[in-house]
Amino acid sequence: MRSFLPKKYEEQLYAVGAYAHKLGLKAWVAGGAVRDFYLGKDTLDIDLSFDGNQESVAGFCVKQWGGGKRKFSRFCTFRVNMANGLKFDMVRARKETYPYPGALPEIEPTKDIKDDLFRRDFTVNSWCFSIHPATFGKPYDPFGAKKDIDAGLIRVLHEKSFLDDPTRLYRAVRFAGRFGWKLAPKTEKLLMEAVREEYPLLLSRERFSHEFLKVLKEEKIRDIFMLMEKYDLLKFAWPGLHWHDALLRTKDVAERTGILVCMLGTSGEDFLRSLRLPKEFSQEILGAWQIVEEQMSPLAPVSPLQAEIIKAVRPCLVPTALEPCFIRGRELKDMGFVGRKISLAHERVRRAQWEGKVTNHEEAIAFLKK
């Protein structure tokens, strides 16, 4: 394992393991970081597991390398964001049980790292290596992670995996798309059964949204969408949601979210609200959606995010289509428009500007005078 552990992380991880050892703890790098190191892919997110209380280790990391820490009491977890950009998710090794399908797990601390690996989503994420000074870099792979990575297979660890946590349905296709892997035959069968039984409906909308936004961050988003369409997973996201090439225009999650919202047409607003996004995030996207739905130039300047969303879904717009309407309401009054005729004239100009029939203030005046 040490042979493919990036050199730039060795000193820091060794220091963490040595400090944990002073406290009488064993420590491991576990999960996705091990997979990525083996594949030769860089990562700034590293999961660390400890066989006891790791809070002092989290404090040591902040003291040594700067940054800050955050505690998640429910899951005995500390997230340490260090000044150099590296992030440690530091967990106490645990067993997990699910009180009912789709629920958040109940946890029980354990000294056995095998229990901690078994709670993970897929075999490819269920191995670790020691950062204890005496065994630094020694791998532990009880469920065949290396074998499945070499074969390019996504495999669940047990038959109730998708029922326990239906977000794993979306993670399965996300990893398969990202790495160009396939689902193992039994895992594919279990996934298709989970879709038929509508397991994703067991999730809260917040949990679904959290997982879906991870899809929108992926570089190989088209491959992942194709898999979601293949396995009929998009229907749980929103009726009528499907792939659009406009998503390839950007890697920004907010822009991609806005593109999907706009492409859904009249139901886009409801889809956006269902994602339970922060208000400032959703309101900006909603503004872009409204402009696309109205098919009229805006009354006020659009934000950079709104401009990118609109240009992605309406690539043939003339540049002036997204400028604020060339005529203001007071001008219309001065031209003799009154009452309802003011708003109707305003809409006519905004639509003409959107369609490229008027491209400046003078043309807008002439358009109305016709």
Side-chain angles (χ1 to χ4, degrees):
M1 178 63 67
R2 193 165 184 171
S3 62
F4 58 79
L5 171 63
K7 296 291 184 184
K8 62 182 177 181
Y9 298 144
E10 276 198 27
E11 184 177 344
Q12 201 163 351
L13 289 172
Y14 188 91
V16 172
Y19 186 81
H21 176 56
K22 288 182 181 179
L23 301 176
L25 300 175
K26 295 178 181 177
W28 300 266
V29 172
V34 184
R35 175 202 68 220
D36 288 345
F37 290 160
Y38 179 66
L39 291 170
K41 297 180 179 294
D42 200 8
T43 180
L44 290 173
D45 298 339
I46 298 178
D47 291 348
L48 300 177
S49 291
F50 301 82
D51 68 346
N53 191 323
Q54 78 282 30
E55 183 168 4
S56 294
V57 187
F60 165 80
C61 291
V62 173
K63 184 177 179 180
Q64 286 290 109
W65 300 296
K69 67 176 181 178
R70 181 182 177 192
K71 183 177 183 179
F72 299 88
S73 300
R74 178 186 177 96
F75 297 111
C76 303
T77 300
F78 287 87
R79 178 165 296 160
V80 181
N81 293 294
M82 285 163 285
N84 63 359
L86 191 61
K87 182 177 77 177
F88 287 155
D89 279 333
M90 311 177 77
V91 305
R92 186 171 181 176
R94 61 185 188 249
K95 299 178 181 179
E96 291 182 348
T97 55
Y98 292 81
Y100 56 88
L104 289 172
E106 295 178 350
I107 65 172
E108 177 187 347
T110 179
K111 290 284 188 179
D112 190 345
I113 188 62
K114 185 176 181 179
D115 291 333
D116 192 67
L117 296 176
F118 184 72
R119 70 179 174 82
R120 296 172 188 269
D121 47 13
F122 309 110
T123 56
V124 295
N125 296 326
S126 66
W127 64 337
C128 66
F129 65 85
S130 171
I131 57 172
H132 186 282
T135 54
F136 187 81
K138 182 178 180 180
Y140 180 52
D141 183 11
F143 304 111
K146 181 179 179 298
K147 180 181 177 181
D148 281 345
I149 290 173
D150 289 341
L153 292 175
I154 299 291
R155 188 191 311 274
V156 291
L157 287 149
H158 57 88
E159 291 197 355
K160 291 187 177 181
S161 183
F162 292 132
L163 180 61
D164 286 344
D165 184 358
T167 64
R168 291 171 178 165
L169 296 165
Y170 293 91
R171 266 182 267 163
V173 295
R174 181 158 59 87
F175 289 135
R178 180 195 295 179
F179 297 115
W181 294 345
K182 296 181 179 179
L183 304 186
K186 182 66 178 292
T187 296
E188 183 177 46
K189 180 182 177 183
L190 291 170
L191 182 144
M192 294 170 71
E193 289 175 358
V195 170
R196 282 197 299 272
E197 295 297 322
E198 299 187 328
Y199 288 178
L201 296 181
L202 298 170
L203 294 169
S204 69
R205 197 59 182 175
E206 288 81 2
R207 288 187 68 199
F208 168 81
S209 175
H210 180 73
E211 198 62 38
F212 189 71
L213 290 177
K214 289 182 180 179
V215 170
L216 298 186
K217 292 179 181 178
E218 291 284 340
E219 185 172 343
K220 295 186 178 179
I221 185 172
R222 186 182 186 280
D223 293 338
I224 298 169
F225 260 76
M226 293 303 102
L227 288 170
M228 288 195 293
E229 290 186 356
K230 174 183 177 180
Y231 293 116
D232 207 17
L233 283 166
L234 283 175
K235 67 182 181 184
F236 302 109
W238 198 258
L241 191 70
H242 56 86
W243 170 256
H244 292 281
D245 286 342
L247 292 166
L248 295 174
R249 287 175 56 101
T250 178
K251 295 182 180 179
D252 183 81
V253 175
E255 290 177 26
R256 283 176 167 176
T257 303
I259 289 167
L260 289 176
V261 168
C262 290
M263 290 297 190
L264 280 169
T266 55
S267 69
E269 180 178 7
D270 291 333
F271 168 63
L272 177 62
R273 296 194 187 284
S274 81
L275 294 178
R276 310 286 201 274
L277 302 175
K279 186 175 180 180
E280 64 277 6
F281 184 45
S282 59
Q283 285 300 108
E284 198 170 0
I285 294 173
L286 183 61
W289 171 81
Q290 289 173 329
I291 292 170
V292 172
E293 280 299 289
E294 290 177 342
Q295 298 187 59
M296 292 189 289
S297 291
L299 292 170
V302 297
S303 70
L305 171 61
Q306 290 171 333
E308 290 304 314
I309 292 170
I310 296 168
K311 286 188 289 187
V313 298
R314 295 290 185 272
C316 295
L317 285 179
V318 298
T320 51
L322 294 184
E323 292 182 16
C325 182
F326 294 133
I327 292 184
R328 314 306 295 172
R330 182 166 296 278
E331 286 185 275
L332 294 172
K333 286 184 179 180
D334 294 341
M335 292 174 67
F337 291 94
V338 295
R340 173 67 175 154
K341 290 184 178 180
I342 293 176
S343 60
L344 290 175
H346 220 174
E347 288 178 6
R348 285 178 59 208
V349 174
R350 291 174 62 201
R351 185 164 286 110
Q353 186 175 330
W354 175 267
E355 294 171 353
K357 295 177 181 177
V358 298
T359 60
N360 56 49
H361 180 264
E362 291 73 21
E363 290 180 6
I365 295 292
F367 174 80
L368 284 176
K369 287 183 175 179
K370 286 193 293 187

